[in-house]
Amino acid sequence: MALTPSPRQPLAAEAMDKLRAMVQSGEWPLNHRIPAEPELTELLGISRGTLREAIKALAHSGILEVRRGDGTYVRATSEISGAARRMYLDYSEQHILEVRLGIDTQAARLAATRATPEDIEALRTLLRHRDESWQNGDVESYAAADWGFHERVAQASGNPLLHELYASFGAEFHRDLLQQIHRPGFAGLSPEGHGLLVDAIERGDAESAVQTVNHNLASCAAWLAG
């Protein structure tokens, strides 16, 4: 995997492409720390200076986050989601929820016409994992499974751009759900609403899928405002 200089592309840019590919392939998951400098320089066959230049560029784009004394973490899967993640800091929960409403409903509508049997099975597996995590008191796994469910619906839409835009909500979605979990009176998200959404997608019923999303997000908005 060692890199070689190219007259068409600087070595640091080539290193950026390799690092970005590792993120986008899922080899380095979101919110996880990437390998340390010595391992990466050996893996890519580049100098520490070249590696740092590539990481700095990816951090500037929002894909990576460098934490002094702790390492470098994956914060987004692309420049689009990285820019969106930074932009969301300037907007309120209500603004983000209103935009999510549009993306969620379109994802559900398209998923009802394009989802594969593998998508349906993956969605039901994520819901089972979410419910088991809640029963076991593992709120982090619970939140991760719930987000994974919604992102998989977006993936099942068959529109890669919609999926990428939706994925950019990951950090905010996770943060908001954890805030809900720790509020007094929270008893877990309704399992029926999410199950009904999968049922509608499996039937190919786009209208019912959209209605379920509208109901779920309206309940979420009401809880956050309460």
Side-chain angles (χ1 to χ4, degrees):
M1 191 174 182
L3 306 182
T4 55
S6 167
R8 295 176 300 174
Q9 186 178 41
L11 197 56
E14 192 176 345
M16 280 180 58
D17 290 343
K18 293 291 186 181
L19 296 174
R20 186 189 295 108
M22 292 177 186
V23 171
Q24 293 176 340
S25 69
E27 183 175 348
W28 295 343
L30 280 171
N31 302 316
H32 284 67
R33 184 168 54 191
I34 70 173
E37 279 188 354
E39 182 178 342
L40 290 176
T41 54
E42 182 178 354
L43 177 66
L44 300 177
I46 57 177
S47 68
R48 182 168 293 187
T50 299
L51 175 65
R52 288 180 176 176
E53 185 179 348
I55 288 177
K56 181 179 179 180
L58 290 175
H60 180 73
S61 71
I63 292 179
L64 298 178
E65 178 185 353
V66 180
R67 299 180 184 176
R68 289 189 179 277
D70 187 21
T72 301
Y73 288 77
V74 178
R75 281 291 171 256
T77 57
S78 70
E79 282 81 357
I80 290 177
S81 56
R85 178 178 172 271
R86 293 196 306 273
M87 183 179 67
Y88 296 149
L89 298 176
D90 298 328
Y91 297 95
S92 69
E93 290 179 349
Q94 183 63 30
H95 292 146
I96 293 172
L97 190 63
E98 289 171 354
V99 172
R100 263 200 63 203
L101 178 61
I103 298 179
D104 272 68
T105 52
Q106 181 65 356
R109 181 181 290 108
L110 292 175
T113 62
R114 299 174 179 174
T116 65
E118 291 75 18
D119 290 324
I120 300 300
E121 178 57 30
L123 290 170
R124 296 200 186 280
T125 298
L126 284 163
L127 286 185
R128 286 195 297 270
H129 180 58
R130 188 191 73 155
D131 294 343
E132 290 169 1
S133 297
W134 179 257
Q135 294 299 324
N136 294 331
D138 187 347
V139 295
E140 285 288 346
S141 293
Y142 171 81
D146 193 71
W147 165 247
F149 172 84
H150 290 283
E151 187 180 354
R152 188 57 191 248
V153 172
Q155 183 179 343
S157 74
N159 184 319
L161 177 57
L162 186 151
H163 179 216
E164 187 171 349
L165 289 172
Y166 194 86
S168 71
F169 285 100
E172 282 63 37
F173 182 98
H174 190 74
R175 179 200 64 199
D176 290 345
L177 182 55
L178 287 177
Q179 287 178 347
Q180 294 182 57
I181 290 172
H182 291 105
R183 286 176 59 181
F186 185 83
L189 298 174
S190 170
E192 293 81 8
H194 292 67
L196 290 174
L197 174 57
V198 181
D199 291 342
I201 292 173
E202 187 171 27
R203 293 195 310 271
D205 187 344
E207 183 176 352
S208 293
V210 169
Q211 289 177 349
T212 301
V213 169
N214 285 333
H215 176 76
N216 288 341
L217 286 180
S219 298
C220 179
W223 172 261
L224 288 173

